[in-house]
Amino acid sequence: MSSPAAIPAYPQAVLFDLLTALLDSWTVWNRAAGSEAAGRAWRAEYLRRTYGCGAYQPYERLVQEAASAVGLPASAPDALEAGWDELPAWDGARELLQALRPHCRLAVVTNCSARLGRRAANLLGVDWDVVVTSEEAGFYKPDPRPYELALAQLQVLPSQAAFIAGSGYDMFGTSKVGLRTYWHNRVGLVLPEGAARPELESPRLEAALPWLERFNAA
């Protein structure tokens, strides 16, 4: 006699990092910089500035300042924005969102301006319940406030939501808020010193769906 099928036990909501967990922004940054090495250096400097500034400062200005700091020309930020609507989705991203859509509310929490954040979110082809940018929250992740704003707009408790991260720095924020986290560590980043470990880490998105299906399992 076969065992009965497990009953899905999804969270009420799933929150996503956008520009690293769902979209391959690395490729577009590297192209705008002219090489992978230059793109990585630019991205690292930009991240240092956003994680260090706390309260929101204009995203586009931070991107420009980071480019200048690593010796890139002013044309690099222009090229990044010109390629913004070509940000490719990681394989499995759209499939995961469509599989979750009947069961969970879906939200984005992204370190971005409202203008560019919504343009990027629209590339996934899903009807988001909530899109929160750092501009709207008034703070950059990993400050808890962007995550908390998304939860408030969803009207969901942290214990009934999951987060799909793209950066190890997200773990500083999600651990403070109480969000169980899956780290889609696509490019093999090192977990920052002092960051809480995610509940699950994978270079792919495929394992996220079974994790979410069992989220509330006894």
Side-chain angles (χ1 to χ4, degrees), residues 8 27 164:
T27 296
I164 308 295

Short mmCIF file of all heavy atoms in Angstrom, two decimals, residues 8 27 164:
data_model
loop_
_atom_site.label_atom_id
_atom_site.label_comp_id
_atom_site.label_asym_id
_atom_site.label_seq_id
_atom_site.Cartn_x
_atom_site.Cartn_y
_atom_site.Cartn_z
N PRO A 8 0.55 19.85 0.64
CA PRO A 8 1.38 21.05 0.56
C PRO A 8 1.11 21.98 1.74
O PRO A 8 -0.01 22.10 2.22
CB PRO A 8 0.95 21.70 -0.76
CG PRO A 8 0.39 20.57 -1.57
CD PRO A 8 -0.25 19.66 -0.58
N THR A 27 25.31 40.08 -15.37
CA THR A 27 25.65 40.14 -16.79
C THR A 27 25.53 41.56 -17.32
O THR A 27 26.39 42.04 -18.07
CB THR A 27 24.74 39.19 -17.58
OG1 THR A 27 25.00 37.85 -17.17
CG2 THR A 27 24.99 39.31 -19.07
N ILE A 164 13.41 34.71 -0.37
CA ILE A 164 14.39 34.15 -1.30
C ILE A 164 15.44 35.22 -1.54
O ILE A 164 15.18 36.24 -2.19
CB ILE A 164 13.74 33.73 -2.64
CG1 ILE A 164 12.53 32.81 -2.40
CG2 ILE A 164 14.79 33.05 -3.53
CD1 ILE A 164 12.86 31.48 -1.78
#
